[in-house]
Amino acid sequence: MIRKSLIVVGAGPAGLIAAITAADAGQIVTVFESMPKPARKLGISGKGRGNVTNTESYDKFLLHFNNRGRFLKTAFKKFFNKELVEFLEKEGLPTAEERGGRVFTASGKATDIVNCLHKALIKRGITLKTNTPVKELLIKDGKCIGVSTGNTKHYANNIILATGGLSYPATGSTGDGLRFARNCGHEIIPPLPSLCGLKPKTPIPNYLEGVNPRNIKAQLFIDGKKAGEEFGEMLFQDGYLAGPVIITLSRIAVPALEKKQKCEILIDLKPALDHQKLDNRLLRDIQEKKDQKFIDIIGGLLPNGLRQYCIKSLKLSSALKADQTTAETRKQLRLWLKELKFEIVGHAPWEQAIVTAGGVSTKEINPTTMESKLINNLYFAGEIIDIDADTGGFNLQAAFSTGYLAGLSVSTNN
């Protein structure tokens, strides 16, 4: 029996799991990677802690993706969160589940996932060619027959493109795979940064840098209509609104900004209290601390940086005593706490985006095999495809699942 050969372009999570799966099925596999080391982006995932997947159920998992995850149904049925955890632990990498169903490496180091996958390659005799960027695909008679790395051509029975998107370009995600796909005739949904910070029209003062309000509600309004809502924590970082609730809303906000639509973020810093209950709380604090300064009462409601921002925003005097507070001042504070508004005029660049929205159109990829519908023997896996999700381990699971399915499919492709 003649063993079939496979070339995988890109040594990220999708490419590595595809290579391992195909090798386990008896394929001769070569992986080409443009960077000096494999999976650099994976090595910084989950804020460096390696949030590899999430324990959400299959049905709920799909809802975290664009188009409600329809394209990913087969991939997830073949290789889902349970199978990924079992695979990693079989390869010597224990995991641990944390709040929100997030699954991390037990060590808390994302680099341990990279090392685990690299060792899995070596164990299977897979050839990894680092510092070897692919320049173009070799197409003949509607079939992908290999790749060119410049002066050298490399041939194989099947090719998997797993080059990632455009986010974190310093890790090697430079969009080359999108160019290869476009040259083959594939439609590319315009890539946009996703899961990124949002830039407010009014510059954020330096004293807010690093302030991390928790248990807040953030609402996104597009052209005056509510488009999204998230509960949790946010962060003021590098002049952007950031943190989990904001970067989740960015998936909706960024496309709207690109269309020149008006975007506003409304922050409720006290979502557990409605307006009446918050007013009662303020009245009680004023009565109990009537001899104190009013700004000190605000200090009991907010983190330090936000306290300063509130005082400046409302133009409150530092000499104002609590018992001198008027009903109008109290109303202004209540509205500020419940309806802190930021007009959004931009978003963080590719260098700070966690994932890419857009990519190779899913209409031109067979969802049951990951093979191109236009070019035979060409497969796609990972972030290069027009699939993106919320933060929390969902995007990495999609990369692993599509990579697994592609690696499995090439093994049965005649």
Side-chain angles (χ1 to χ4, degrees):
M1 178 179 174
I2 300 175
R3 294 174 66 194
K4 291 192 290 185
S5 57
L6 168 68
I7 287 175
V8 178
V9 185
L16 293 177
I17 199 73
I20 291 166
T21 304
D24 284 345
Q27 299 262 319
I28 301 171
V29 184
T30 303
V31 180
F32 288 89
E33 169 57 45
S34 62
M35 302 300 286
K37 294 181 179 180
R40 289 187 63 183
K41 184 177 174 183
L42 178 59
I44 61 172
S45 64
K47 297 181 179 179
R49 298 185 57 233
N51 182 192
V52 292
T53 188
N54 196 290
T55 58
E56 278 271 33
S57 67
Y58 172 82
D59 290 334
K60 291 182 178 179
F61 211 101
L62 291 171
L63 298 179
H64 288 274
F65 288 83
N66 60 329
N67 299 317
R68 302 176 77 82
R70 289 192 299 270
F71 178 80
L72 292 164
K73 289 183 176 181
T74 300
F76 283 165
K77 286 180 178 177
K78 292 288 186 181
F79 190 78
F80 197 39
N81 44 23
K82 180 182 177 182
E83 288 79 17
L84 175 59
V85 168
E86 289 176 349
F87 165 79
L88 292 173
E89 294 190 346
K90 183 179 178 181
E91 295 295 328
L93 183 69
T95 60
E97 182 179 345
E98 298 186 10
R99 179 177 55 85
R102 289 169 165 83
V103 177
F104 292 83
T105 59
S107 66
K109 297 178 181 178
T111 50
D112 284 352
I113 315 171
V114 179
N115 294 334
C116 171
L117 294 173
H118 194 187
K119 289 177 182 177
L121 292 189
I122 295 170
K123 183 168 68 175
R124 290 162 173 80
I126 297 169
T127 301
L128 173 62
K129 292 181 177 291
T130 55
N131 285 316
T132 312
V134 167
K135 301 298 183 183
E136 64 177 333
L137 300 180
L138 303 178
I139 309 295
K140 183 178 180 181
D141 299 328
K143 180 186 294 188
C144 191
I145 60 173
V147 302
S148 169
T149 54
N151 296 326
T152 307
K153 295 180 179 180
H154 310 264
Y155 298 94
N157 297 106
N158 295 288
I159 311 297
I160 296 177
L161 270 186
T163 53
L166 290 167
S167 59
Y168 293 138
T171 64
S173 300
T174 56
D176 285 346
L178 298 175
R179 176 171 55 83
F180 301 153
R182 184 182 290 110
N183 290 344
C184 291
H186 273 280
E187 177 189 2
I188 306 300
I189 306 303
L192 292 173
S194 190
L195 300 184
C196 61
L198 297 175
K199 189 176 186 63
K201 183 177 182 179
T202 303
I204 295 173
N206 291 335
Y207 56 76
L208 272 181
E209 179 69 22
V211 175
N212 181 208
R214 302 186 179 190
N215 301 315
I216 60 105
K217 178 173 74 174
Q219 295 176 300
L220 170 67
F221 288 83
I222 298 176
D223 288 340
K225 295 181 179 179
K226 183 178 172 182
E229 178 178 293
E230 294 291 329
F231 291 84
E233 61 183 274
M234 65 175 292
L235 176 68
F236 295 93
Q237 184 177 45
D238 300 328
Y240 295 95
L241 306 184
V245 298
I246 300 298
I247 64 173
T248 297
L249 291 173
S250 76
R251 293 185 63 219
I252 310 170
V254 172
L257 289 167
E258 293 295 318
K259 296 175 184 176
K260 308 299 182 185
Q261 293 176 288
K262 183 178 181 180
C263 292
E264 294 175 309
I265 293 286
L266 196 67
I267 304 295
D268 183 348
L269 293 163
K270 298 295 176 182
L273 302 174
D274 61 23
H275 280 269
Q276 186 60 56
K277 289 181 179 178
L278 179 56
D279 194 44
N280 292 340
R281 160 79 184 272
L282 293 175
L283 274 171
R284 187 175 67 251
D285 286 351
I286 288 170
Q287 291 168 357
E288 292 177 354
K289 304 172 183 177
K290 58 184 179 180
D291 294 328
Q292 294 185 22
K293 292 180 179 180
F294 186 56
I295 60 173
D296 292 331
I297 291 177
I298 295 174
L301 296 168
L302 297 168
N304 187 44
L306 264 181
R307 169 194 174 187
Q308 188 175 350
Y309 188 56
C310 176
I311 291 168
K312 289 182 179 295
S313 298
L314 298 179
K315 298 179 181 179
L316 296 174
S317 168
S318 60
L320 180 68
K321 291 288 187 69
D323 61 0
Q324 298 172 331
T325 306
T326 65
E328 180 61 26
T329 299
R330 197 175 73 245
K331 177 183 177 182
Q332 290 176 351
L333 174 58
R334 172 170 53 82
L335 291 175
W336 193 93
L337 292 169
K338 296 291 290 181
E339 301 174 9
L340 178 57
K341 184 181 292 185
F342 295 92
E343 182 178 349
I344 304 300
V345 294
H347 54 77
W350 283 112
E351 288 78 9
Q352 297 175 32
I354 295 175
V355 298
T356 301
V360 180
S361 173
T362 55
K363 295 178 182 178
E364 299 172 349
I365 302 172
N366 185 335
T368 64
T369 62
M370 295 297 132
E371 186 176 13
S372 166
K373 292 180 179 180
L374 308 183
I375 305 295
N376 292 330
N377 304 94
L378 175 64
Y379 295 75
F380 297 96
E383 199 176 344
I384 190 175
I385 305 171
D386 178 27
I387 46 175
D388 67 281
D390 300 326
T391 183
F394 304 104
N395 288 288
L396 263 180
Q397 180 64 59
F400 282 117
S401 294
T402 55
Y404 177 89
L405 181 55
L408 188 68
S409 299
V410 299
S411 305
T412 57
N413 185 10
N414 293 322

